[in-house]
Amino acid sequence: MNAPLKLVISGPVGAGKTTFVQTLSETEVVSTEADATEDIGKATTTVAFDFGTLNIDGQELHLYGTPGQDRFDFMWDVLCEGALGLVLLVAGNKPQDFLHARHILEFITSRNPVPFVVGVTRQDLPDVWAPQDVAAYFDLPVGQVLGLQATEAVSARNVLIRLLESQLAKETV
Amino acid sequence: MTSGSKQETLQATLQTLRTSLPELRGALVATIDGLPIAQSFSDNTDANRVAAMAATALGLGKRINDTLGAGELTEMSVTGADGQVFVYATGRKGVLAVVTPAAMNLGLLNIEARDAAQTVALVL
Ligand SMILES: Nc1nc2c(ncn2[C@@H]2O[C@H](COP(=O)(O)OP(=O)(O)OP(=O)(O)O)[C@@H](O)[C@H]2O)c(=O)[nH]1
Ligand SMILES: [Mg+2]
C-alpha cells in the first residue's frame, strides 16, 4: 500500500479552501474556524488549518487547508513542509483577489517547489472567470487550471485527480 | 463601552500585569481571528505576528482539547530553552498572550495572568 500523500490547499480568503476540504473528506474534518472581526464577506475564517482525508483509487490523500489571510503566512510554511502537491484555489468571481493568489503561490513554491494546480471556484455563479482566462492571467498552461464548484464533490475531486496525474507524469519522466 | 475606552481598559490591564510581574517580556490581547487589540512589550516584538500566532495556537488547542475530551480550552503554553509563551482564552472573543523569560515563578504567573484573562473577557 502506498504511503498517504500530503496535499496542501491554499489561496486567498473566501476562495473556498475550508469548503473544498469539507466537501471531499471521507473522515470528520478537523477545522479551526474563528469568528471574523473584520468584514471579509463571511462569518468565520480559518486560523490554523483544515484537515481531511480521502481515498482515490487506493491512494490515501491527506488534505491540509491553510488560512488565507497574510498574517497567518507562517502556517503556509508549516503546512507545506513535506507536502507533495498544492491546490491553489481562487474565487472566480473575485478577480481583485487574483494578485494575492499569485503572491501566495509564489510564497509557497519559492520555499517548496511542489507540483500544483489552480482551481477556480464558484463556477456555478454568474459573472465568474473561466479557467482558461485565469490560466492566461497566471501565465500557466490551460491544463494546469481547472474550474470547480467547491461545494460539489465531483468537480472538486477532478482537481485532485488532475494534480495526481501531473505528479505521476513528473515521476515517470 | 466605547471601543476607545475598551482599548484603554485592556491596556491598563496589561500594564497592571506587567507591574506585578516585572520580569515579563511582554503581553498582548488579540481577537480570536488574530488581530492585536492591546499590547505591551519591552523589546521590538512584532505584535501583529504574535497576535496571529496566539489565535492559531488557541484555535489548534481547542481542537486538541475537543479530540481528547478535555472540555473547554482555558490556556496553553509553549516552552523553549530561553522563554515561554502562555496563551489564555478570554471569553469567546479574545485571547491573551504572555511572554515570559525561562526562569519564571509559574505559580505567581498563573494567579496574575488568569486574573488578567478574566478582566479581558469581561471587557471584550
Ligand atoms: N456557490 C459557491 N459557493 C462557494 C464555492 N466555493 C466556496 N463557496 C462559498 O464561499 C465561502 C468560502 O468560504 P470558505 O470555504 O470558508 O473559504 P476559505 O477559503 O476557507 O477562507 P479563509 O479560511 O477565511 O481563508 C463559503 O460561504 C462557501 O460556501 C463555490 O464553488 N460555489
Ligand atoms: Mg478556511
Side-chain angles (χ1 to χ4, degrees):
Chain A
M1 218 191 80
N2 294 331
L5 273 185
K6 176 177 177 178
L7 304 178
V8 170
I9 319 301
S10 198
V13 171
K17 305 175 292 295
T18 299
T19 308
F20 184 87
V21 174
Q22 272 168 349
T23 297
L24 286 177
S25 184
E26 292 160 356
T27 52
E28 199 188 328
V29 172
V30 179
S31 74
T32 58
E33 294 296 295
D35 289 348
T37 54
E38 303 163 296
D39 182 11
I40 55 167
K42 60 197 180 95
T44 66
T45 192
T46 303
V47 296
F49 60 82
D50 306 297
F51 174 72
T53 70
L54 77 157
N55 200 293
I56 293 184
D57 292 339
Q59 172 65 59
E60 188 169 337
L61 303 178
H62 288 185
L63 304 184
Y64 287 85
T66 73
Q69 319 213 36
D70 279 336
R71 61 178 177 274
F72 298 112
D73 61 7
F74 55 89
M75 285 306 294
W76 304 345
D77 262 343
V78 169
L79 296 173
C80 287
E81 216 174 289
L84 295 170
L86 167 71
V87 175
L88 184 88
L89 295 181
V90 291
N93 62 352
K94 294 208 276 179
Q96 67 274 21
D97 286 354
F98 290 178
L99 196 62
H100 187 222
R102 224 193 148 98
H103 166 73
I104 296 172
L105 182 64
E106 274 159 20
F107 183 101
I108 292 175
T109 53
S110 66
R111 285 146 206 258
N112 184 1
V114 285
F116 69 89
V117 292
V118 173
V120 185
T121 61
R122 308 191 178 201
Q123 292 298 317
D124 54 314
L125 297 180
D127 296 325
V128 72
W129 279 49
Q132 58 270 28
D133 296 334
V134 177
Y137 176 93
F138 278 85
D139 202 11
L140 289 170
V142 284
Q144 210 170 343
V145 184
L146 285 85
L148 74 148
Q149 183 185 340
T151 47
E152 185 272 324
V154 174
S155 68
R157 212 178 155 90
N158 278 337
V159 174
L160 291 183
I161 291 170
R162 178 66 57 86
L163 178 62
L164 294 178
E165 285 169 356
S166 74
Q167 256 191 331
L168 284 179
K170 282 212 166 129
E171 276 165 21
T172 50
V173 182
Chain B
M1 212 180 306
T2 69
S3 69
S5 70
K6 209 182 206 179
Q7 217 272 337
E8 277 165 32
T9 314
L10 293 175
Q11 202 65 46
T13 308
L14 293 183
Q15 224 45 62
T16 309
L17 180 63
R18 296 207 61 191
T19 309
S20 34
L21 300 168
E23 63 273 50
L24 291 185
R25 286 178 46 202
L28 158 153
V29 178
T31 62
I32 49 164
D33 63 340
L35 294 167
I37 311 175
Q39 74 220 43
S40 166
F41 285 97
S42 313
D43 49 20
N44 53 3
T45 303
D46 180 353
N48 288 326
R49 210 143 182 84
V50 178
M53 287 181 167
T56 297
L58 192 77
L60 185 53
K62 280 181 185 166
R63 293 308 162 269
I64 295 173
N65 257 13
D66 280 353
T67 305
L68 300 180
E72 197 166 327
L73 180 82
T74 52
E75 64 200 51
M76 62 181 291
S77 67
V78 181
T79 304
D82 299 324
Q84 284 183 286
V85 184
F86 292 82
V87 176
Y88 301 84
T90 59
R92 294 188 164 280
K93 291 187 178 164
V95 47
L96 168 71
V98 180
V99 186
T100 79
M104 181 75 204
N105 181 333
L106 296 185
L108 205 55
L109 173 73
N110 275 331
I111 294 170
E112 298 289 343
R114 282 176 192 156
D115 214 41
Q118 240 170 22
T119 311
V120 172
L122 286 176
V123 173
L124 288 177

